[in-house]
Amino acid sequence: MAVEPATRLVRPLQIGKHAIWPPVVLAPMSGVTNRTMRALYKPFGFGLTVTEFVSSNALQYQSQRTMEMIDQHGLEQPVSTQLWGNDPAIMALAARTVRECGADIVDINFGCPAPKVTKTAGGSACLRDVDRCEAIMRAVLDAVDCPVTIKMRLGWTEHDLVYLEVARRAEAVGISAITLHARTAKQFYRGTADWSHIAALKRAVSIPIIGNGDLHDAPTALARMQESGVDGVMIGRAVLGNPWIASDLHALLEGRIPAGYPAPAVRLRYALHHYETMVSELGETRAVPQMRKHLGYYLKGFPGASELRERLMRTLTAAETMGLVQATIDRLS
Ligand SMILES: Cc1cc2nc3c(=O)[nH]c(=O)nc-3n(C[C@H](O)[C@H](O)[C@H](O)COP(=O)(O)O)c2cc1C
């Protein structure tokens, strides 16, 4: 593969005092990017990781589960902690709490389209009221002494694309960076992310822009970065079972030859490591169901993978699952 000398084109992603290299962000994914996952995947080539979104209302009660969501490993710094909510005062309190718990950056979610979030006017529903977005940004900025960023979609529907207006206000009030997932809220995940809007956003404001949406592989991510001129990219679904996408992009950004998607046995060996780490950190009862979906992702595209996936879905204990994966590794090796 021809390698562009991309180091000349791309600089570290600057968020406040944090110079982030490579400028590649592991997307926040609820139910996925817990602290174990962030610590495991960061060394592959993510300059920044983001927690799962945390409800600002829930943070007031400081339940064990909520506090665990904002907890850190110590290996994954800098960490951006993402909050969602609709009330500026509650968002400010939540921001103060997560900052006290070690967040290096506070990220505000103006992008989640899930009904359980938008029915309380949070997430992407905030985009229906740009004044409210501004009030939330101001309140959070006043509450903390670290950089504050936002992550948003284009707008609620294709008829009210408010992202440029929100971005201009974000820049004016002192937001340090903006991530744009280039779909509307009503699109959910339908259609494709329209990167022309990301390029338009980059031209419209001078704070760092992180482009997000449908980056399926490292060459595509590099191409979108160069075409749109963004300061960084965020990758979500393509990372599942494939953290090597980050090492490949890191290599491309530094003008090195990417190693590519590893052989099945290598992937499964890493999957076992992921599994064992999750069991040791979360305990078997919680890790086993969570790891079913991850194993499914690691098992993409090799002979016998679908049969193995089905068998793994039925396992009940970690020992049983790990035995099956190990037997497959032995067969593949
Ligand atoms: C399972 C899952 C959970 C997600 N949870 C969050 C979240 O907590 N906060 C957020 O801002 N976005 C969340 N997202 C959206 C992703 O961060 C990202 O914006 C989106 O998947 C588009 O990027 P991609 O095409 O690279 O996946 C989630 C996405 C998925 C698939």
Side-chain angles (χ1 to χ4, degrees):
M1 184 192 303
V3 178
E4 295 284 326
T7 29
R8 273 183 251 150
L9 303 176
V10 180
R11 286 175 302 167
L13 166 64
Q14 195 73 40
I15 302 186
K17 66 173 186 185
H18 304 288
I20 291 160
W21 186 262
V24 181
V25 185
L26 175 62
M29 285 183 278
S30 179
V32 179
T33 51
N34 57 27
R35 61 177 207 152
T36 306
M37 170 93 169
R38 294 196 307 275
L40 279 169
Y41 277 23
K42 181 165 166 67
F44 280 88
F46 291 104
L48 181 66
T49 64
V50 188
T51 66
E52 310 166 67
F53 70 168
V54 184
S55 155
S56 54
N57 277 322
L59 260 176
Q60 295 183 97
Y61 306 105
Q62 307 208 348
S63 73
Q64 194 194 331
R65 274 295 160 86
T66 310
M67 297 315 278
E68 203 176 88
M69 285 165 86
I70 66 168
D71 193 18
Q72 296 173 19
H73 223 291
L75 304 170
E76 75 276 43
Q77 269 78 16
V79 170
S80 169
T81 302
Q82 192 188 62
L83 298 173
W84 70 273
N86 178 263
D87 184 314
I90 296 174
M91 285 291 279
L93 279 176
R96 209 166 290 138
T97 304
V98 299
R99 176 68 180 139
E100 279 161 12
C101 293
D104 301 295
I105 297 167
V106 175
D107 187 53
I108 304 173
N109 181 312
F110 289 148
C112 181
K116 73 169 187 192
V117 169
T118 56
K119 77 175 183 222
T120 59
S124 62
C126 292
L127 298 175
R128 305 178 82 177
D129 182 350
V130 174
D131 289 337
R132 169 122 345 210
C133 289
E134 182 176 335
I136 292 171
M137 292 189 282
R138 282 185 188 280
V140 172
L141 278 160
D142 282 349
V144 292
D145 61 353
C146 66
V148 177
T149 57
I150 63 171
K151 177 168 182 274
M152 64 176 163
R153 289 196 173 214
L154 298 172
W156 182 248
T157 71
E158 80 232 60
H159 307 297
D160 47 19
L161 301 182
V162 294
Y163 68 100
L164 290 176
E165 175 64 14
V166 174
R168 287 195 188 100
R169 294 197 193 199
E171 180 170 36
V173 299
I175 291 292
S176 293
I178 299 173
T179 302
L180 181 62
H181 175 193
R183 282 187 172 84
T184 65
K186 284 290 164 196
Q187 259 185 293
F188 288 89
Y189 284 90
R190 286 187 296 274
T192 48
D194 184 346
W195 275 72
S196 69
H197 289 298
I198 295 175
L201 175 61
K202 176 62 196 165
R203 290 192 298 273
V205 292
S206 48
I207 53 177
I209 300 300
I210 301 161
N212 171 235
D214 299 349
L215 300 177
H216 302 300
D217 52 48
T220 306
L222 179 64
R224 293 276 175 280
M225 228 173 154
Q226 292 180 326
E227 288 155 13
S228 63
V230 287
D231 305 276
V233 286
M234 175 183 278
I235 313 179
R237 290 164 297 170
V239 167
L240 300 171
N242 182 17
W244 299 279
I245 189 175
S247 13
D248 280 2
L249 182 53
H250 189 188
L252 286 175
L253 288 166
E254 293 183 348
R256 292 180 280 112
I257 308 280
Y261 196 37
V266 176
R267 270 149 46 200
L268 289 189
R269 240 175 257 128
Y270 188 79
L272 262 191
H273 171 61
H274 188 164
Y275 205 102
E276 282 161 357
T277 312
M278 286 282 277
V279 170
S280 77
E281 295 195 3
L282 293 186
E284 186 161 350
T285 316
R286 287 174 64 198
V288 168
Q290 282 195 35
M291 281 309 292
R292 279 201 191 108
K293 59 185 176 200
H294 284 291
L295 283 179
Y297 299 131
Y298 284 111
L299 287 174
K300 265 184 231 150
F302 63 86
S306 52
E307 190 206 329
L308 176 62
R309 195 176 291 122
E310 272 175 35
R311 289 176 69 195
L312 287 169
M313 291 305 143
R314 291 195 297 271
T315 57
L316 296 174
T317 64
E320 200 186 341
T321 310
M322 289 196 271
L324 260 178
V325 176
Q326 187 60 57
T328 310
I329 294 171
D330 296 342
R331 180 169 58 80
L332 289 167
S333 306

